[in-house]
C-alpha cells in the first residue's frame, strides 16, 4: 500500500526557527498551486492502492475545506484509496474554527495533527508562533466538536530559556488535553535561523545538554504512565493511534509525494520534486518534468536505508529479514559496527532484532552512522 503525501508550502508568517520548504501565504498563488497540485495528482499513473493521505507543510490548514476535498477526490479518482484510509491534515491552531474543522471533516480528513509546540505563552512568543495557549486548547476542542477522535499534538523541547520544569508543565498540559498521539521534537537551531540572532541579541540560551536528555527521558516515562506507548524516537500514541502514514517512512514502505519539494520512494527509486513554488506550478502547467533528483538505489543502499530508518522504531528492526529482502549479508557487514553499542547497552539485541534502548535513543545518530 502506498502513502500519498501532499505538500502545501504556505504559512501566515514564518517562524524564526523554521527550515521547511514554505513561503508566505498569498491567496492568488495558493489558488494556482492547488490547481497545479490537483493536476499533478491526476497525471500520476492510475490504479495503485493507497491507504494514507497526508497533507503536510507549511500550513495545509490554510487551504479551504473545499480545496482539501478536491485534492482528496483527485487522490481517490487516480488511486484505489482504501475506504478506511488515514487522512491527516497538519493544522496550526490559529487557522482552526468550528466551521473550518467541520468542513475539513466533511471533506474526508479523519486525523488532525496540531502544531502546538508549547503550552507556555512566553515560549510561543519566543518562537514567533501566531497562536496562544488558549487558542491551541480551543482548536483541539473545535476538532473534537467536528468529530475528530484521532488528534495529534506536536511539542518542542530544548527551547531557548526553557527549563526542565517548563517542559514538564507543557507535557502535563498535553496529557490534560488528552490527544491520541503526540510528537516530541528537540529544537534544532540551523546556522542561518533568525532565532539564532535573536537569541544572541537577547542573551537567551538553551539548557545544558544533560537537561535536554533529562527532558526527553522524563517525558517518555511520564507519557507512558499516562497510557501512551512510545513507538518511535519522537512519537507516542494510544494503542492503535500510531501514524500509519509516518510508519511507512520507518518500515521500509513506499510513498508518492505531490507538490513542491515533495519526495517519493517507489520500487527502489527515489525522487524529489523541484522545491520553488512558482517553478513547480509552471512545470506542472507546461507538462515539464518535476523531478530534480532521481536515483535508483542499489540493493545494498536499500538495505542500509531500511536498517537506518527501522532503528528509529521502538520495536527496532530485524537485521536478518532486511538482509533477506535485499540479498545482503547484513550481519556480517554491520555486526562488527553494532557490537560496541550492544556491549554498552545502547542497542539491545534479541535474536536477529535490534532496537535502541531509551538512553540509546539519545545517541541514535551515532548508532545509525553504522549503516551509512
Ligand atoms: S508554521 Fe511550520 S512550516 Fe510554517 S513557518 Fe512555522 S514552523 Fe515553518
Amino acid at each position: 500500500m502506498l502513502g500519498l503525501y501532499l505538500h502545501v508550502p504556505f504559512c501566515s508568517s514564518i517562524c524564526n526557527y523554521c527550515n521547511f520548504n514554505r513561503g508566505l501565504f498569498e491567496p492568488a498563488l495558493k489558488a494556482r498551486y492547488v490547481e497545479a497540485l490537483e493536476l499533478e495528482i491526476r497525471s500520476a499513473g492510475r490504479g495503485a492502492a493507497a491507504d494514507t493521505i497526508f497533507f503536510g507543510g507549511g500550513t495545509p490548514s490554510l487551504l479551504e475545506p473545499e480545496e482539501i476535498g478536491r485534492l482528496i477526490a483527485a487522490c481517490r479518482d487516480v488511486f484505489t484509496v482504501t475506504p478506511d484510509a488515514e487522512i491527516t491534515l497538519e493544522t496550526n491552531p490559529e487557522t482552526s474554527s468550528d466551521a473550518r474543522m467541520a468542513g475539513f471533516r466533511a471533506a474526508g480528513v479523519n486525523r488532525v495533527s496540531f502544531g502546538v509546540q508549547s503550552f507556555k505563552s512566553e515560549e510561543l512568543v519566543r518562537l514567533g508562533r501566531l497562536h496562544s495557549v488558549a487558542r491551541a486548547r480551543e482548536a483541539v476542542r473545535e476538532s473534537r466538536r467536528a468529530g475528530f477522535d484521532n488528534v495529534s499534538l506536536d511539542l518542542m523541547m530544548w527551547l531557548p530559556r526553557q527549563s526542565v520544569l517548563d517542559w514538564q508543565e507543557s507535557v502535563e498540559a498535553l496529557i490534560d488535553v488528552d490527544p491520541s498521539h503526540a510528537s516530541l521534537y528537540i529544537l534544532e537551531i540551523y546556522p542561518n535561523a533568525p532565532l539564532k540572532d535573536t537569541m544572541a541579541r537577547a542573551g537567551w540560551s538553551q539548557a545544558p545538554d544533560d537537561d535536554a536528555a533529562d527532558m526527553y527521558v522524563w517525558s517518555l516515562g511520564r507519557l507512558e504512565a499516562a497510557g501512551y506507548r512510545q513507538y518511535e524516537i519522537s512519537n507516542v500514541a494510544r494503542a492503535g493511534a500510531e501514524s500509519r502514514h509516518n510508519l511507512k517512512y520507518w518500515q521500509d514502505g513506499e510513498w508518492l509525494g505531490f507538490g513542491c519539494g515533495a519526495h517519493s520512494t517507489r520500487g527502489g527509486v527515489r525522487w524529489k520534486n523541484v522545491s520553488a513554488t512558482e517553478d513547480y506550478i509552471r512545470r506542472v502547467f507546461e507538462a515539464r518534468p518535476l523531478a530534480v533528483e532521481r536515483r535508483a538505489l542499489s540493493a545494498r543502499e536499500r538495505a542500509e536505508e531500511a536498517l537506518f530508518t527501522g532503528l528509529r522504531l521502538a520495536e527496532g528492526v530485524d537485521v536478518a529479514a532486511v538482509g533477506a529482502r535485499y540479498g545482503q549479508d547484513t550481519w556480517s557487514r554491520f555486526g562488527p559496527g553494532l557490537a560496541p553499542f550492544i556491549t554498552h547497552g545502547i542497542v539491545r539485541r534479541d535474536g536477529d532484532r535490534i532496537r535502541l534502548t531509551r538512553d540509546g535513543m539519545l545517541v541514535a545518530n551515532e548508532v545509525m552512522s553504522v549503516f551509512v
Side-chain angles (χ1 to χ4, degrees):
M1 287 279 181
L2 285 172
L4 307 176
Y5 174 83
L6 279 61
H7 189 70
V8 180
F10 306 112
C11 291
S12 305
S13 77
I14 304 300
C15 305
N16 56 16
Y17 58 90
C18 178
N19 196 33
F20 297 122
N21 183 24
R22 77 303 178 253
L24 275 179
F25 179 77
E26 287 174 46
L29 180 63
K30 184 259 306 189
R32 280 169 47 236
Y33 184 81
V34 171
E35 262 183 60
L37 195 49
E38 184 178 352
L39 189 54
E40 187 197 358
I41 295 166
R42 291 197 181 277
S43 312
R46 290 186 171 261
D51 65 352
T52 65
I53 301 175
F54 192 103
F55 289 88
T59 307
S61 55
L62 281 172
L63 264 50
E64 294 305 316
E66 172 270 323
E67 293 170 320
I68 294 289
R70 257 169 65 198
L71 294 168
I72 294 173
C75 291
R76 288 196 182 279
D77 287 348
V78 172
F79 300 95
T80 306
V81 178
T82 55
D84 68 339
E86 174 191 273
I87 305 183
T88 303
L89 183 72
E90 284 189 339
T91 302
N92 277 347
E94 72 277 4
T95 64
S96 168
S97 67
D98 277 318
R100 291 179 68 77
M101 279 294 145
F104 292 135
R105 181 80 192 168
V109 176
N110 54 24
R111 181 172 184 271
V112 231
S113 173
F114 283 109
V116 171
Q117 317 312 358
S118 167
F119 280 99
K120 309 285 278 187
S121 307
E122 60 281 12
E123 289 174 358
L124 291 172
V125 170
R126 279 182 213 125
L127 293 175
R129 300 292 301 195
L130 290 178
H131 65 271
S132 63
V133 171
R135 176 89 286 275
R137 289 185 202 276
E138 188 55 25
V140 176
R141 283 193 284 268
E142 287 159 355
S143 70
R144 293 209 166 111
R145 285 196 288 267
F148 288 101
D149 53 8
N150 198 353
V151 174
S152 180
L153 263 54
D154 288 358
L155 280 189
M156 291 201 309
M157 71 186 92
W158 212 28
L159 303 177
R161 302 204 67 191
Q162 182 183 50
S163 67
V164 176
L165 185 63
D166 291 330
W167 168 245
Q168 290 175 338
E169 287 176 3
S170 267
V171 174
E172 293 294 350
L174 177 137
I175 291 168
D176 190 50
V177 169
D178 193 24
S180 49
H181 183 283
S183 302
L184 313 176
Y185 298 112
I186 294 180
L187 174 69
E188 276 182 68
I189 304 180
Y190 294 92
N192 57 353
L195 177 59
K196 201 173 168 135
D197 289 342
T198 308
M199 286 175 67
R201 273 199 310 275
W204 299 340
S205 58
Q206 289 171 290
D209 289 14
D210 282 354
D211 284 5
D214 286 348
M215 288 177 185
Y216 178 79
V217 171
W218 178 88
S219 49
L220 292 169
R222 177 68 188 97
L223 284 158
E224 267 173 13
Y228 293 88
R229 186 182 77 89
Q230 181 186 19
Y231 70 102
E232 194 267 347
I233 288 180
S234 306
N235 288 279
V236 302
R238 298 240 185 251
E242 296 83 5
S243 163
R244 275 155 56 190
H245 183 83
N246 288 336
L247 277 170
K248 292 184 191 297
Y249 302 139
W250 306 312
Q251 289 180 332
D252 201 19
E254 300 198 322
W255 60 92
L256 294 179
F258 298 97
C260 58
H263 292 254
S264 303
T265 295
R266 195 175 185 197
V269 181
R270 169 169 311 165
W271 66 97
K272 179 188 173 225
N273 279 357
V274 61
S275 295
T277 308
E278 290 280 9
D279 192 11
Y280 164 80
I281 294 172
R282 265 197 309 275
R283 286 183 191 225
V284 172
F285 288 130
E286 292 168 9
R288 284 194 286 134
L290 297 173
V292 284
E293 289 165 27
R294 181 186 291 272
R295 216 160 74 78
L297 302 181
S298 65
R300 184 186 166 102
E301 288 171 318
R302 291 179 78 179
E304 286 168 1
E305 284 278 328
L307 292 168
F308 178 87
T309 50
L311 199 57
R312 296 190 61 91
L313 293 167
E315 67 178 22
V317 62
D318 186 323
V319 177
V322 169
R325 196 178 313 150
Y326 295 112
Q328 305 287 306
D329 187 354
T330 35
W331 272 121
S332 312
R333 235 179 101 205
F334 302 116
L338 289 168
F341 293 111
I342 295 172
T343 307
H344 288 99
I346 288 167
V347 171
R348 193 150 292 155
R349 179 175 176 180
D350 186 7
D352 281 323
R353 183 167 285 278
I354 55 165
R355 63 179 179 81
L356 293 166
T357 60
R358 189 153 289 161
D359 284 343
M361 288 181 181
L362 290 164
V363 290
N365 287 346
E366 284 171 54
V367 183
M368 288 168 183
S369 67
V370 169
F371 301 121
V372 287

